[in-house]
Amino acid sequence: MPGYKWLFDNKAMDISLIEKKMQAMQTLGVPYSDADIANAQKDLRTQAMKIEESLKSDPDFVKSYEDSKKRAEARGEQFVSMNEREIVALIAYIQRLGTDIKVKQ
């Protein structure tokens, strides 16, 4: 997946505009409450931590995560935990799609 390499980079996702983006979507009719918007960053962090903990149940993930820590240290970079990376936002989005789809019988 060369085109998606940035998802796995040792860089934190930018969530600085999350509230403004949600307000814009609310204006367009997305049913976000004002409380949803006010709690967006806290809720995002909580969900990201749960996803990271779930990933840690995979031994391959644990190994690559530890390797990533070592590479960051070798380059003199501060290590960015998985719960702060863009890939976790993508996982959360895909999980949400899976729960929002209703199968009609």
Side-chain angles (χ1 to χ4, degrees), residues 1 3 20 30 47 49 54-55 59 62 64 84 89 96 103:
M1 289 192 292
K20 289 188 184 297
V30 176
Q47 185 178 24
M49 292 297 292
S54 177
L55 289 170
V62 172
S64 69
E84 294 187 15
R96 183 62 192 245
V103 177

Side-chain angles (χ1 to χ4, degrees), residues 41-104:
Q41 291 204 20
K42 180 179 78 65
D43 292 345
L44 183 147
R45 296 281 180 217
T46 300
Q47 185 178 24
M49 292 297 292
K50 288 179 185 176
I51 291 169
E52 182 176 329
E53 287 306 310
S54 177
L55 289 170
K56 287 179 180 175
S57 67
D58 178 349
D60 291 331
F61 169 78
V62 172
K63 182 182 179 329
S64 69
Y65 195 59
E66 292 304 316
D67 290 345
S68 179
K69 284 181 183 179
K70 290 174 187 171
R71 282 192 303 276
E73 185 179 309
R75 290 189 297 248
E77 298 174 354
Q78 180 174 351
F79 180 72
V80 176
S81 63
M82 188 57 64
N83 67 72
E84 294 187 15
R85 295 185 191 189
E86 195 74 30
I87 187 68
V88 171
L90 180 61
I91 292 168
Y93 175 72
I94 292 169
Q95 286 178 338
R96 183 62 192 245
L97 284 177
T99 59
D100 284 352
I101 295 173
K102 305 272 189 266
V103 177
K104 293 183 180 181

